[in-house]
Amino acid sequence: MSIPTLESLHAIGALQQPTYPDRGALDDAVARLRTMPPLVFAGECDDLTDKLAAVTRGEAFLLQGGDCAETFAEVTADNVRNKLRVLLQMAVVMTYAGSVPVVKLGRLAGQYAKPRSSDEETRVVDGQEVTLPAYRGDVVNGFEFTPEARIPDPKRLLDAYNASAATLNLVRAFVTGGYADLRQVHTWNTDFVKTSPAGQRYEQLAGEIDKALSFMKAIGADPEELRRVDFHSSHEALLMEYEHAMTRVDSRTEQPYNVSGHFVWIGERTRQLDGAHVEYFRHIRNPIGVKLGPTATADDALALAAQLNPENTPGRLTFITRFGADKVREGLPGLVEKVTAEGVQVAWVCDPMHGNTFTSSTGYKTRRFDDVVGEVQGFFDVHRSLGTWPGGILVEMTGDDVTECIGGGEELDEHGLAHRYESVVDPRLNRVQSLELAFQVADMLRAVSP
Ligand code: PEP
Ligand code: CO
């Protein structure tokens, strides 16, 4: 199946796209991007589809995590390592305490485009109201609130490619080069995390894993699985220029794949059935996701599945629900029930972040840790009552000690947010909060595991 042209996707009226003032420069950048090597291979995407098929069957759990929006400035060795480290810690907690295989998926190496509720942003600067184009992610424009930074710049398409390549290269080196070796389980628990209650609980669990590893060594078992992990990349495929230029026909299967990330998803604001994003996604063979918020009906979900996965292949399609802690128990059952009754093969994943965002009295976009846990608990309860499998979670998190979400064991309050608030878009769980969430999810998994 050949993919529609970029022009035809724009003709449909792709939503959430920037307006580039310099068409010539845009065409040049897209043409250059089309010549760049793939960041991922089609075969790797197929491997992930197989893993997500196991999630669909209820045999594995997906942990998808990373920044709401990556930035070019944060492509550093420390930042990537810290993020990976907390994802490895979370995965090991869920695997060991939850007794279920965990599929590890980074929300990274491509998460550079953001949908916005408004095309413009107004701020008061020196007593005067100033309106500029909204920040749409580093692949489009700069976060700085100046006219120069906010003009969409086509050069950023190549910068995003290079930043993604550097990130993925480092991730690949970490996960295959010894850092992800299970015998390193203690070393991931460093500095401030180690002294937190979650860090101490982790230390105990790591001690048990150590004992199990010593036992295995003593009996002569030394499986390859201990030394490396499978890790894949994902992002919201939002910006048509970037995603289209990074779509290639795989020589092996002659099928088109998006080779800028293993898994790509359609956001809540761009999932219209007759929209350009659904039209594009229909044609690629990657495993894909669709966000479903509180306004999504069961019929919407069925129609999306029919469009995006007409062959009903398990692992191809993941529904990522994001209702909010106060709506999930009411809204999710109708969706899951009808989709399941129709025999639609889909992995159900909970995004407990995007339905729980609010602005603090101190002016920060934030989320309550308890709401995050509350939505995941609601998600598990709904699936348990329907006899379906709660397939995973998608979290916005960082490997650093930021102060962007309220609550958790450290009891961060509204006033504490100012201390280290670094996110350019949505608030992320910090490292301790992420680990705490992993233990809570492990408990939930234990309660539903056969
Ligand atoms: C996101 O995942 O950052 C996002 C924008 O989510 P949603 O599309 O669900 O609002
Ligand atoms: Co977000």
Side-chain angles (χ1 to χ4, degrees):
M1 196 161 32
S2 63
I3 63 157
T5 63
L6 185 54
E7 293 69 30
S8 71
L9 292 170
H10 278 303
I12 299 175
L15 297 182
Q16 295 285 343
Q17 307 300 300
T19 307
Y20 288 98
D22 187 345
R23 284 281 337 172
L26 179 63
D27 291 347
D28 289 349
V30 170
R32 178 85 185 105
L33 201 52
R34 289 195 194 284
T35 68
M36 301 304 274
L39 296 177
V40 302
F41 290 131
E44 297 172 337
C45 299
D46 293 346
D47 288 344
L48 181 59
T49 300
D50 291 345
K51 289 192 159 59
L52 292 170
V55 171
T56 307
R57 290 193 300 268
E59 295 162 6
F61 190 78
L62 175 72
L63 170 63
Q64 184 179 7
D67 297 291
C68 178
E70 294 175 282
T71 61
F72 297 158
E74 279 184 12
V75 181
T76 65
D78 279 355
N79 189 279
V80 174
R81 186 206 50 213
N82 292 355
K83 225 176 327 192
L84 193 66
R85 181 166 62 184
V86 69
L87 282 168
L88 291 172
Q89 277 192 288
M90 291 175 81
V92 100
V93 165
M94 292 181 200
T95 311
Y96 189 81
S99 302
V100 55
V102 173
V103 179
K104 293 161 276 287
L105 184 58
R107 182 185 160 117
L108 47 71
Q111 183 52 28
Y112 288 108
K114 296 308 299 174
R116 302 319 300 256
S117 48
S118 168
D119 279 346
E120 295 180 329
E121 182 182 354
T122 301
R123 289 191 199 173
V124 177
V125 182
D126 299 330
Q128 280 205 312
E129 274 200 0
V130 179
T131 299
L132 294 175
Y135 171 64
R136 289 193 167 274
D138 272 13
V139 65
V140 174
N141 56 2
F143 181 64
E144 206 191 336
F145 195 72
T146 62
E148 301 74 42
R150 289 296 172 95
I151 295 171
D153 181 355
K155 278 207 297 293
R156 288 175 171 271
L157 289 162
L158 289 156
D159 294 341
Y161 171 88
N162 287 325
S164 300
T167 303
L168 204 54
N169 183 51
L170 202 54
V171 166
R172 288 186 194 274
F174 275 132
V175 299
T176 57
Y179 191 72
D181 190 316
L182 204 50
R183 284 161 294 194
Q184 302 285 325
V185 68
H186 276 290
T187 63
W188 302 334
N189 200 32
T190 52
D191 39 78
F192 56 89
V193 176
K194 197 168 177 174
T195 52
S196 70
Q200 283 168 11
R201 196 171 162 194
Y202 178 87
E203 204 56 29
Q204 218 171 8
L205 178 142
E208 288 173 35
I209 293 175
D210 268 348
K211 263 194 232 153
L213 293 177
S214 306
F215 171 73
M216 286 176 68
K217 190 172 174 205
I219 61 169
D222 188 18
E224 174 65 15
E225 284 78 6
L226 299 182
R227 272 192 285 271
R228 55 184 295 275
V229 297
D230 282 338
F231 193 94
H232 293 89
S233 66
S234 72
H235 65 271
E236 178 179 350
L238 180 69
L239 182 64
M240 283 298 169
E241 271 70 21
Y242 187 79
E243 306 303 335
H244 196 274
M246 290 304 293
T247 306
R248 310 287 162 75
V249 175
D250 172 34
S251 56
R252 212 181 32 135
T253 58
E254 296 189 354
Q255 298 287 335
Y257 283 77
N258 183 321
V259 291
S260 71
H262 297 108
F263 177 98
V264 282
W265 75 87
I266 306 178
E268 169 71 358
R269 290 165 192 77
T270 49
R271 61 172 163 78
Q272 298 75 14
L273 267 179
D274 55 356
H277 289 83
V278 169
E279 176 59 12
Y280 165 75
F281 271 72
R282 258 175 10 95
H283 291 85
I284 55 167
R285 293 266 63 83
N286 304 58
I288 61 170
V290 184
K291 293 282 200 92
L292 296 176
T295 60
T297 64
D299 287 338
D300 292 339
L302 289 174
L304 282 163
Q307 284 282 321
L308 295 167
N309 190 18
E311 284 159 27
N312 209 16
T313 308
R316 154 75 175 166
L317 181 61
T318 296
F319 281 147
I320 307 167
T321 60
R322 31 88 89 219
F323 281 85
D326 55 342
K327 297 199 187 83
V328 59
R329 289 168 194 278
E330 207 180 300
L332 185 59
L335 274 189
V336 176
E337 218 163 10
K338 195 155 177 188
V339 168
T340 307
E342 295 291 322
V344 170
Q345 297 290 321
V346 68
W348 293 100
V349 168
C350 173
D351 163 1
M353 316 301 292
H354 291 88
N356 296 310
T357 317
F358 67 99
T359 303
S360 73
S361 62
T362 47
Y364 289 96
K365 204 173 174 188
T366 189
R367 293 164 176 149
R368 281 192 194 88
F369 181 77
D370 285 352
D371 290 342
V372 172
V373 174
E375 179 155 358
V376 180
Q377 185 67 64
F379 169 81
F380 269 80
D381 290 348
V382 167
H383 280 286
R384 178 149 64 169
S385 72
L386 295 173
T388 48
W389 176 243
I393 55 169
L394 162 60
V395 287
E396 289 183 343
M397 41 72 62
T398 158
D400 295 317
D401 195 16
V402 300
T403 56
E404 298 171 5
C405 292
I406 291 172
E410 293 169 313
E411 294 178 9
L412 184 75
D413 65 15
E414 293 207 352
H415 299 284
L417 293 176
H419 178 64
R420 188 173 168 192
Y421 194 101
E422 294 176 1
S423 175
V424 289
V425 183
D426 286 340
R428 302 160 297 179
L429 299 175
N430 64 28
R431 198 166 149 208
V432 174
Q433 289 167 334
S434 301
L435 196 55
E436 282 172 4
L437 178 65
F439 276 109
Q440 303 249 19
V441 172
D443 289 343
M444 296 178 207
L445 277 169
R446 247 201 317 272
V448 294
S449 291

